[in-house]
Amino acid sequence: MLSLQELYLRTNKVEGTIPDVMCSLKNLGALDLSGNHFSGSVPPCLGNVTSLRALYLDYNRLNSRLPASFGGLRDLIEFNISSNLLSGKIPFEIGNLKAAALIDLSKNDFSGKIPTTLGGLDKLINLSLAHNRLDGPIPDSFGKMLALEFLDLCYNNLSGEIPNSLEALVYLKYMNFSFNKLSGEIPTGGPFANFTSQSFLSNDALCGDSRFIVKPCPTKSTKKSRRKVVLTSLYILLGIGSLFALAVGYAVLRFRKTKKNPSQVDVSLVKEYERISYYELEQATEGFNESNLLGYGSFSTVYKGILKDGTLLAAKVFNVQLEGAFKSFDTECEILRNLRHRNLTKVITSCSNLDFKALVLEYMPNGTLDKWLYSHNLFLNLLQRLDIMIDVASAMDYLHNSYSTPVVHCDLKPSNVLLDQEMIGHVSDFGIAKLLGAGEASFVQTSTIATIGYIAPEYGQDGIVSTSCDVYSFGILIMETFTRMRPSDEIFNGEMSIQRWVSDSFPSGIHKMVDSNLVTPGEEQIDSKMQCLLSIMELALRCTLVKPDARISMKDALSTLKKIRLQLVISCY
């Protein structure tokens, strides 16, 4: 009993208090007592079961305070104690749950202020404090929870303004501040651009954009005398005249300079970053020396560079002699200048003229996923590979569902997945990406062909591109990542593809199919690891079904991978 790792008693009619004997299960990874009739206090000693990764106590009749000792559960990933009768303040020690991805304290009787320490939980994806009696402001520190996708604070007594820091929560897909006492202007930047009035109901003192169905904010200017108005207008006219004169002078100088040196490179910023000249870029890469070569693309060559201030960069230089290079450069500029996601390659700036085009990108010190899969002196374990697939799925879900216009990457493969210092995956190379456009169109047609082996059937045969094409490529990427077999390997020719090989081997031949380095015969937790690999390959097969409409969505694929990861961590780590 003391070696028990998982205990599930969900949805029964168990009554009484939670026995203290639970606290002696020092190897317990998951405890699910939800949906029962447990009453009384929450045992503080549960905070000493530091092996816990998942704790579900929701939908019971618990009526104590939340013990501060729960701050000791530093490896807890999911914590749900909603729908009870808990009261008192939320302990500030909750900020110690650094590994938490889900915290749900909703539908209780908590009071007092929201602990600012919650803002330090940078892995938190889902936070609900709804239906309590919390008061005071929304902590400004919430803007630091950069992974947050779900935030529910409705039905409390919260007051003050909505912090502008929340505009930094670029992953936020759901937010509900309704039925509080909030005031001031509703922010409009970042995720707020996608929210409606449903997120702010019954906060009578809020003001701002009319789409939120709130009153307009009062103007800050006061009435001026007629004399002040006239003087102000005069100053404005004089200012405009001065600016016009400066602009004309600058244009003349620019024209003369261009005539003197027509080959001078024009630097156009992709976003508002510091400008970099062609000379600086050339110096940073030592004249685009082959010793700094990082890799090749269909239309480009990528070099490592270092600026004089020590900043590392990756310079993606397009071969303008190749047909399609100009279009590839323009496409990548158009897409990357508007997209922001932690799992997408970050563009710094660009250089462009008639004979030179380059993108300056964030440098990724650990190279490509392809390098890590096939280098003899490098190795990724099961959890690392799964984490990278979650990173890729997060980026693809953002491209498909969280941007104003759905984006199809069209060329997802290991060499287009870059790894940073922390081994976090970043999707790169948008040279042949497609914007689906507004309206009802769910696909476009193209003559551009992606990499053979990763390409969806409808894309390769008819040139039909949709988000389902990326899902198919993602499924192939999963298969390659966990089998360490390239779709282009000699074994896969004719009718035998990597998809067919995995399908024919599933499920009984899973041990022959997966990378032998991932599971060693006789090792501990081998059954749990094999079950994890079965779930991963089942997902890959759902991604690579022949009919596009039958494939799983990227959003559901991401959710499935997160569930697989949680089960793996609970069972094996």
Side-chain angles (χ1 to χ4, degrees):
M1 182 69 175
L2 294 179
S3 61
L4 189 67
Q5 295 182 359
E6 299 178 18
L7 178 58
Y8 298 97
L9 297 175
R10 172 185 289 269
T11 317
N12 284 287
K13 297 181 179 179
V14 183
E15 298 180 344
T17 58
I18 298 175
D20 286 344
V21 69
M22 298 285 187
C23 304
S24 62
L25 304 177
K26 298 303 182 182
N27 296 310
L28 196 62
L31 176 61
D32 190 346
L33 304 180
S34 59
N36 282 288
H37 297 161
F38 284 109
S39 58
S41 63
V42 180
C45 58
L46 277 178
N48 300 324
V49 187
T50 55
S51 57
L52 277 172
R53 301 294 188 274
L55 177 59
Y56 307 101
L57 303 175
D58 46 306
Y59 288 95
N60 278 289
R61 300 169 183 174
L62 301 170
N63 57 7
S64 66
R65 292 174 176 263
L66 183 62
S69 61
F70 273 37
L73 302 177
R74 296 177 183 271
D75 293 325
L76 194 64
I77 297 173
E78 295 199 359
F79 177 42
N80 191 340
I81 198 167
S82 65
S83 301
N84 278 284
L85 304 169
L86 299 176
S87 60
K89 294 182 178 180
I90 299 173
F92 73 90
E93 288 86 356
I94 198 168
N96 294 333
L97 305 183
K98 299 296 185 182
L102 178 148
I103 295 178
D104 191 345
L105 309 182
S106 63
K107 297 181 181 177
N108 279 289
D109 198 32
F110 288 116
S111 58
K113 293 180 172 56
I114 298 174
T116 58
T117 53
L118 278 170
L121 304 183
D122 56 4
K123 294 182 176 61
L124 198 60
I125 295 172
N126 186 318
L127 173 63
S128 181
L129 305 177
H131 292 271
N132 281 288
R133 292 191 299 114
L134 299 168
D135 55 32
I138 299 171
D140 189 66
S141 62
F142 272 25
K144 298 178 182 178
M145 295 190 289
L146 298 181
L148 207 61
E149 297 179 7
F150 180 100
L151 176 62
D152 194 349
L153 304 178
C154 71
Y155 287 95
N156 279 286
N157 297 313
L158 300 175
S159 58
E161 297 186 352
I162 298 172
N164 287 324
S165 63
L166 301 187
E167 293 181 332
L169 303 180
V170 294
Y171 304 142
L172 199 61
K173 298 172 184 175
Y174 176 88
M175 180 179 69
N176 194 350
F177 293 164
S178 297
F179 298 93
N180 279 286
K181 299 175 181 177
L182 299 170
S183 59
E185 185 173 4
I186 300 174
T188 56
F192 288 88
N194 301 317
F195 296 135
T196 68
S197 61
Q198 297 299 310
S199 296
F200 310 101
L201 297 174
S202 194
N203 285 279
D204 297 336
L206 284 177
C207 63
D209 196 308
S210 59
R211 64 189 170 89
F212 296 132
I213 315 181
V214 293
K215 59 189 177 185
C217 294
T219 57
K220 296 180 181 178
S221 61
T222 59
K223 291 184 178 180
K224 297 181 176 70
S225 66
R226 181 177 180 82
R227 182 172 177 275
K228 287 185 177 180
V229 171
V230 172
L231 286 174
T232 302
S233 301
L234 181 60
Y235 290 144
I236 291 173
L237 287 172
L238 287 172
I240 292 173
S242 300
L243 287 173
F244 179 74
L246 287 171
V248 171
Y250 176 78
V252 170
L253 290 172
R254 184 75 174 175
F255 176 72
R256 288 176 179 173
K257 187 175 181 180
T258 303
K259 288 192 71 175
K260 286 182 180 180
N261 189 5
S263 64
Q264 179 69 37
V265 174
D266 172 51
V267 181
S268 61
L269 295 181
V270 177
K271 198 70 175 173
E272 294 179 1
Y273 289 98
E274 185 179 351
R275 290 178 179 272
I276 181 173
S277 68
Y278 171 80
Y279 175 77
E280 287 177 296
L281 197 58
E282 185 181 39
Q283 290 294 307
T285 59
E286 299 178 317
F288 305 105
N289 195 296
E290 285 192 5
S291 63
N292 290 317
L293 186 65
L294 293 175
Y296 294 96
S298 302
F299 303 103
S300 60
T301 306
V302 184
Y303 299 91
K304 177 183 177 181
I306 181 168
L307 298 175
K308 290 182 179 180
D309 64 0
T311 302
L312 289 171
L313 57 83
K316 184 174 184 178
V317 181
F318 288 75
N319 186 347
V320 294
Q321 306 300 320
L322 293 176
E323 184 180 355
F326 281 87
K327 183 178 180 181
S328 176
F329 173 80
D330 291 340
T331 299
E332 201 150 357
C333 280
E334 179 184 359
I335 290 175
L336 289 178
R337 73 190 303 166
N338 294 315
L339 299 179
R340 286 292 178 270
H341 191 278
R342 71 190 292 264
N343 298 121
L344 293 178
T345 304
K346 186 170 73 174
V347 64
I348 299 172
T349 187
S350 69
C351 284
S352 175
N353 78 342
L354 291 176
D355 10 46
F356 183 84
K357 293 186 181 295
L359 285 175
V360 180
L361 307 170
E362 181 182 13
Y363 176 66
M364 295 288 163
N366 277 313
T368 67
L369 174 60
D370 187 90
K371 181 185 80 171
W372 279 82
L373 288 177
Y374 300 109
S375 296
H376 295 297
N377 58 335
L378 298 174
F379 176 71
L380 296 171
N381 62 33
L382 180 55
L383 185 59
Q384 286 175 312
R385 298 188 201 197
L386 183 54
D387 280 342
I388 293 169
M389 291 301 99
I390 290 174
D391 291 337
V392 174
S394 296
M396 301 310 296
D397 176 42
Y398 170 78
L399 294 175
H400 291 180
N401 303 304
S402 298
Y403 185 57
S404 57
T405 302
V407 179
V408 184
H409 184 276
C410 292
D411 201 16
L412 201 55
K413 56 186 178 182
S415 59
N416 285 339
V417 177
L418 304 180
L419 303 172
D420 66 15
Q421 185 68 42
E422 306 299 326
M423 295 300 288
I424 295 172
H426 300 253
V427 175
S428 69
D429 198 344
F430 287 78
I432 63 171
K434 297 289 183 291
L435 295 167
L436 292 188
E440 298 296 322
S442 60
F443 68 89
V444 294
Q445 279 197 289
T446 182
S447 58
T448 305
I449 297 300
T451 308
I452 303 300
Y454 304 90
I455 192 170
E458 70 277 10
Y459 184 3
Q461 295 167 11
D462 304 314
I464 297 176
V465 174
S466 69
T467 54
S468 294
C469 295
D470 279 347
V471 174
Y472 184 93
S473 301
F474 182 64
I476 299 297
L477 178 67
I478 291 176
M479 293 177 185
E480 181 173 1
T481 299
F482 291 94
T483 64
R484 203 166 167 264
M485 298 283 286
R486 298 183 190 272
S488 58
D489 284 349
E490 290 185 7
I491 185 177
F492 306 126
N493 53 56
E495 294 185 359
M496 180 56 72
S497 63
I498 189 171
Q499 194 275 345
R500 177 71 178 273
W501 178 64
V502 170
S503 179
D504 290 348
S505 304
F506 187 86
S508 58
I510 183 74
H511 59 288
K512 299 178 182 178
M513 179 204 320
V514 299
D515 183 358
S516 58
N517 295 311
L518 289 177
V519 182
T520 305
E523 71 169 299
E524 292 184 14
Q525 316 297 346
I526 186 171
D527 291 340
S528 297
K529 288 186 176 181
M530 293 307 298
Q531 184 58 50
C532 171
L533 287 164
L534 275 172
S535 300
I536 290 170
M537 288 303 172
E538 181 183 14
L539 172 62
L541 291 172
R542 293 175 67 192
C543 290
T544 54
L545 295 171
V546 174
K547 293 184 177 181
D549 293 343
R551 294 171 200 152
I552 191 173
S553 70
M554 192 57 70
K555 184 180 294 295
D556 290 340
L558 173 60
S559 176
T560 300
L561 285 171
K562 288 180 178 178
K563 291 176 183 177
I564 294 172
R565 185 190 190 281
L566 176 61
Q567 192 60 45
L568 176 66
V569 170
I570 291 172
S571 303
C572 302
Y573 292 91

